[in-house]
Amino acid sequence: MSTPNRFKVTVVGSGNWGTTTAKIVAENVAIHTNVFDPEVRMWVFEEVLDGEKLSEIINTRHENIKYLPGVKLPSNLIAVPDLVSAVEGSQLLVFNVPHQFLSRICKQLKGHISSKVRAISCLKGLEVDDQGVRLLSDYITGELGIHCGVLSGANLAPEVALEKYSETTIAYPLPENHYPGDATGETWQMLFHRPYFHVRVVNDIAGVSIAGALKNVVALAAGFVEGKGWGENAKAAIMRRGIIEMIKFCKIFFNKNEIETFTQESAGIADLITTCAAGRNVRVGSEMARSGRSVEEVEAELLNGQSAQGMVTAKEIHSLLENKGLLDEFPLLEITYQMAFNGYDIDNLPAFFEKIR
Amino acid sequence: MSTPNRFKVTVVGSGNWGTTTAKIVAENVAIHTNVFDPEVRMWVFEEVLDGEKLSEIINTRHENIKYLPGVKLPSNLIAVPDLVSAVEGSQLLVFNVPHQFLSRICKQLKGHISSKVRAISCLKGLEVDDQGVRLLSDYITGELGIHCGVLSGANLAPEVALEKYSETTIAYPLPENHYPGDATGETWQMLFHRPYFHVRVVNDIAGVSIAGALKNVVALAAGFVEGKGWGENAKAAIMRRGIIEMIKFCKIFFNKNEIETFTQESAGIADLITTCAAGRNVRVGSEMARSGRSVEEVEAELLNGQSAQGMVTAKEIHSLLENKGLLDEFPLLEITYQMAFNGYDIDNLPAFFEKIR
């Protein structure tokens, strides 16, 4: 049976979350063979491990021994170390790299991608500069000229990789230049929905992106409180204020007010809960508060030298709010920055909240 | 200086949460002596411990050694074993007993309380019978003829007792028969707000009550999932669905739709988070799922023979929904009942959620 118009898919990124999403996608294209090309490519930043190339290890042993050890990958998932070859001919791209690599990747891809290509960003973060703030999906659209949605949810990667039940949210409104045969929200749902990974599709790209970015700052604050031994009530109070400021951030900077994204979707409240329960940022914040050690020391110990995204985002948000004269509007985000970078004493938090209630 | 119209306060109940709220109230009346009578009475269900009466222990040693050991109580907090004497002459009553004692207490108090008295209920639960469902505060109003608000929040009692930072929500709309000098939301806030216990006052009694009751069912489900080892993503997914069904329950049964109560107040999302992190019900559910033991065995081991409120509430909600033909509208609440009482296999949960998405 000929199926000429099947979507070819590439996952750009192969960290633990990148590899996990590539596994999911590869499982699904093998089922929905009338919709997708049955081979999925994953761009791998090449590394040599004990004399062997990581891409070759993945392609022969079907395991990403560096970033997702112990998890069997589907054999229709092909690691490709050259970025441009990896995306060549693909209609659907899944971006899943750390935020700091995005700009270089876009530069490399520029000119190699048709405007008919569609993308989903799994990145967490925001693009902040002197002009203001931009969503990473908008950044991708700006750099590559392709429509880009987002995927975010209560998705601790190690749990999803082990096929423990999770939910996620995909935001994918149709683009203005939608064409016959073009991908829709349903296409992306088919690509990601698994019996252990349930997908809901919404239109609110800003809400999903902002929840995914700001949760890391809130988790840092939750960690500070946890590390001080304040308990679950205080942690929940931080999260409650976090949700409120996320909603406000979305409204002020993106003029969007779909609060259901935050209160009812996995990308909102559920992701915040998961992230504050066991994510990297809460662990870093907790250990900083407990031990009094610097973020660098704690990151070196807990994250193998990787960085806690919440620290970066807290700093960016602070400079954004300062530029815009809006520090007072986001007391939790700002006080988290002050605790993280300026030695603001966490013990003052209750008195601070008293003042701003 | 004469202060003739000061509110006299009685706390009805002296379990761990009852004693903790009595401590808070006693601390506050000692500060706001122009508003409150400086002595607070606490009704104690009398018990004899090693030959000594609990009420006498509390009044001499200023410690509830049975239900809140290790926490010093203010000396202006007076334990009174006779219920009617305890409330005599008080204008403000704080009800804080286990749900199952409420009916007997109301019977004893009937006829001894002026209709000018005001109350706050700290109870968790709902009154379900063949007619339908009633809030406990409405039950108190019905039995005693007094206006009654509610207090609920992310308040694990042991943490609040140790003065770890917490927030709470008081719902207290003014009654129709409000009179000059009558208590207001501000009065209750003054009575409960502490540097370590921040109070926000709202009008939505139904929302605050329902969140406080249903969270225990959701926590049971979160416990089942936790006990199966499914991880944080799955637990957060349960909580996300829980919030949605709480909001729906409030709308269908009480025709109220103030979703901010659930999404922005301590009594809503924050309490659910705290309860699912470390409350009794999540611990019981988790241990049941882990060990396969019966609820009775687990309660005996974990709760000193006290019961997990979520089990009782799950059963009541099930019979309510069945009566009203609404089982399909609340899939999480119903499946939790089935898992708790009818041996529904937790492993079927993802497939179940798939069907109802």
Side-chain angles (χ1 to χ4, degrees):
Chain A
M1 205 164 70
S2 104
T3 47
N5 293 318
R6 297 182 303 181
F7 296 103
K8 208 165 164 57
V9 186
T10 296
V11 176
V12 177
S14 53
N16 70 341
W17 187 221
T19 307
T20 300
T21 49
K23 170 179 175 291
I24 288 171
V25 162
E27 287 166 359
N28 275 328
V29 300
I31 295 169
H32 305 295
T33 49
N34 55 332
V35 178
F36 302 107
D37 185 281
E39 200 172 274
V40 169
R41 285 169 295 173
M42 173 170 77
W43 173 64
V44 172
F45 179 82
E46 192 69 288
E47 302 178 50
V48 176
L49 305 165
D50 285 337
E52 247 184 313
K53 288 179 175 170
L54 180 57
S55 62
E56 282 171 13
I57 294 171
I58 293 172
N59 288 336
T60 52
R61 289 193 244 160
H62 306 296
E63 182 182 344
N64 185 337
I65 62 166
K66 173 117 191 223
Y67 295 105
L68 201 61
V71 175
K72 187 83 186 160
L73 301 175
S75 56
N76 62 329
L77 176 63
I78 313 297
V80 178
D82 180 70
L83 180 58
V84 173
S85 314
V87 304
E88 194 183 345
S90 277
Q91 289 82 42
L92 304 182
L93 304 182
V94 177
F95 286 92
N96 205 339
V97 293
H99 182 180
Q100 67 266 28
F101 299 143
L102 183 62
S103 123
R104 199 173 53 198
I105 283 170
C106 286
K107 278 196 184 69
Q108 285 183 259
L109 289 178
K110 212 173 246 180
H112 296 278
I113 295 183
S114 149
S115 65
K116 289 190 146 190
V117 166
R118 305 307 184 201
I120 286 284
S121 160
C122 303
L123 279 71
K124 303 291 185 293
L126 294 165
E127 196 70 17
V128 173
D129 61 22
D130 294 349
Q131 307 303 305
V133 56
R134 250 201 314 177
L135 305 180
L136 298 187
S137 51
D138 286 343
Y139 177 84
I140 290 171
T141 299
E143 293 295 299
L144 301 179
I146 58 175
H147 183 58
C148 185
V150 297
L151 180 151
S152 186
N155 301 145
L156 294 175
E159 296 184 4
V160 179
L162 295 175
E163 305 188 3
K164 296 184 174 195
Y165 178 67
S166 304
E167 297 180 326
T168 202
T169 310
I170 289 177
Y172 192 80
L174 293 184
E176 282 180 20
N177 65 347
H178 185 70
Y179 53 86
D182 194 3
T184 64
E186 211 180 337
T187 313
W188 291 109
Q189 185 165 44
M190 205 180 288
L191 191 61
F192 282 102
H193 192 86
R194 299 288 300 144
Y196 61 87
F197 191 67
H198 286 195
V199 174
R200 280 169 55 88
V201 179
V202 300
N203 283 320
D204 183 13
I205 287 190
V208 171
S209 303
I210 283 163
L214 297 193
K215 66 164 191 184
N216 288 325
V217 182
V218 180
L220 208 55
F224 292 154
V225 156
E226 179 184 288
K228 276 276 179 177
W230 287 9
E232 299 296 338
N233 297 343
K235 243 181 107 170
I238 296 287
M239 290 157 78
R240 181 187 77 78
R241 287 175 181 270
I243 285 280
I244 292 170
E245 294 192 15
M246 282 179 183
I247 291 171
K248 194 174 190 180
F249 191 93
C250 200
K251 189 164 194 312
I252 289 182
F253 289 101
F254 294 89
N255 198 26
K256 294 279 276 184
N257 204 16
E258 299 179 32
I259 70 161
E260 301 78 13
T261 305
F262 297 91
T263 59
Q264 305 204 356
E265 300 300 336
S266 180
I269 185 63
D271 189 18
L272 181 64
I273 290 170
T274 301
T275 301
C276 289
R280 287 175 177 187
N281 293 281
V282 71
R283 288 189 287 133
V284 165
S286 183
E287 185 56 22
M288 285 170 70
R290 202 193 58 74
S291 66
R293 288 189 295 166
S294 73
V295 62
E296 291 78 13
E297 286 176 288
V298 171
E299 284 177 343
E301 183 188 309
L302 294 184
L303 303 185
N304 235 333
Q306 293 183 278
S307 69
Q309 188 66 44
M311 295 292 289
V312 180
T313 308
K315 197 176 231 166
E316 288 174 343
I317 297 291
H318 166 77
S319 75
L320 174 71
L321 297 177
E322 194 169 43
N323 268 347
K324 303 284 181 188
L326 289 170
L327 287 175
D328 290 349
E329 296 289 325
F330 297 91
L332 178 67
L333 296 177
E334 172 59 10
I335 208 74
T336 304
Y337 168 80
Q338 295 298 342
M339 292 189 291
F341 291 97
N342 288 345
Y344 184 88
D345 189 343
I346 298 163
D347 286 332
N348 293 330
L349 215 46
F352 174 76
F353 287 145
E354 181 89 65
K355 271 194 312 207
I356 59 168
R357 74 180 158 110
Chain B
M1 205 165 63
S2 106
T3 46
N5 292 318
R6 297 184 301 181
F7 296 104
K8 207 165 165 59
V9 186
T10 296
V11 176
V12 177
S14 52
N16 71 339
W17 186 221
T19 307
T20 300
T21 49
K23 170 180 176 289
I24 287 171
V25 162
E27 287 166 0
N28 274 329
V29 300
I31 295 168
H32 307 294
T33 50
N34 55 332
V35 177
F36 303 106
D37 185 282
E39 200 171 274
V40 169
R41 285 171 296 172
M42 173 170 76
W43 173 64
V44 172
F45 179 82
E46 192 69 288
E47 300 177 53
V48 176
L49 304 165
D50 285 338
E52 244 184 315
K53 289 177 175 171
L54 180 55
S55 63
E56 284 172 11
I57 294 170
I58 293 172
N59 288 336
T60 53
R61 287 193 244 160
H62 306 296
E63 180 182 345
N64 185 338
I65 63 166
K66 174 115 188 222
Y67 295 105
L68 202 61
V71 174
K72 187 84 183 162
L73 302 174
S75 56
N76 63 330
L77 177 62
I78 312 298
V80 178
D82 179 69
L83 180 58
V84 173
S85 316
V87 303
E88 194 182 345
S90 278
Q91 290 83 42
L92 303 182
L93 304 182
V94 177
F95 286 92
N96 204 337
V97 292
H99 181 181
Q100 66 266 30
F101 299 143
L102 183 62
S103 127
R104 200 172 56 199
I105 282 169
C106 285
K107 277 195 185 70
Q108 284 182 259
L109 290 178
K110 211 173 245 181
H112 295 280
I113 295 183
S114 149
S115 65
K116 290 190 144 187
V117 166
R118 305 306 184 199
I120 286 284
S121 161
C122 303
L123 279 70
K124 303 291 187 293
L126 294 166
E127 196 71 16
V128 173
D129 62 20
D130 294 348
Q131 306 304 302
V133 57
R134 252 200 314 174
L135 304 180
L136 298 186
S137 52
D138 286 344
Y139 177 85
I140 291 170
T141 298
E143 293 295 299
L144 302 178
I146 58 175
H147 182 60
C148 184
V150 297
L151 179 152
S152 186
N155 302 146
L156 294 174
E159 295 183 5
V160 179
L162 294 175
E163 305 187 2
K164 295 183 175 194
Y165 177 67
S166 303
E167 296 179 328
T168 202
T169 311
I170 289 176
Y172 193 79
L174 293 183
E176 281 180 20
N177 66 348
H178 185 71
Y179 52 87
D182 194 2
T184 62
E186 209 180 339
T187 314
W188 292 109
Q189 184 164 45
M190 206 180 286
L191 191 59
F192 282 102
H193 192 88
R194 299 288 300 144
Y196 61 86
F197 190 67
H198 286 195
V199 174
R200 280 169 54 90
V201 179
V202 301
N203 284 318
D204 183 15
I205 289 191
V208 171
S209 303
I210 284 163
L214 297 194
K215 67 164 192 183
N216 287 325
V217 183
V218 180
L220 209 53
F224 292 154
V225 155
E226 179 184 288
K228 277 276 179 178
W230 288 9
E232 300 296 337
N233 296 344
K235 245 181 105 170
I238 296 286
M239 293 159 76
R240 179 187 78 78
R241 287 174 181 270
I243 285 280
I244 291 171
E245 293 193 16
M246 283 179 182
I247 291 171
K248 194 174 189 180
F249 191 94
C250 200
K251 187 162 197 309
I252 288 182
F253 288 102
F254 295 89
N255 198 25
K256 294 278 273 185
N257 205 17
E258 298 179 33
I259 70 162
E260 300 77 14
T261 305
F262 296 91
T263 59
Q264 305 205 355
E265 299 301 335
S266 181
I269 185 63
D271 189 18
L272 181 65
I273 290 170
T274 301
T275 301
C276 289
R280 288 175 177 189
N281 293 283
V282 70
R283 287 188 289 134
V284 165
S286 182
E287 185 56 21
M288 285 171 70
R290 202 193 58 72
S291 66
R293 289 189 295 166
S294 73
V295 64
E296 292 78 15
E297 287 177 287
V298 171
E299 285 177 345
E301 182 187 310
L302 293 184
L303 303 186
N304 235 331
Q306 293 183 278
S307 68
Q309 188 67 43
M311 295 292 287
V312 180
T313 308
K315 199 177 229 165
E316 288 175 343
I317 297 291
H318 167 75
S319 73
L320 174 71
L321 297 177
E322 194 169 43
N323 268 345
K324 302 286 181 189
L326 290 169
L327 288 175
D328 290 350
E329 295 290 323
F330 297 92
L332 178 67
L333 297 177
E334 172 58 11
I335 208 74
T336 304
Y337 168 79
Q338 297 296 344
M339 292 190 290
F341 291 98
N342 288 344
Y344 183 90
D345 189 343
I346 298 163
D347 287 332
N348 293 328
L349 215 48
F352 175 76
F353 287 145
E354 181 90 63
K355 270 193 315 209
I356 59 167
R357 73 182 157 109

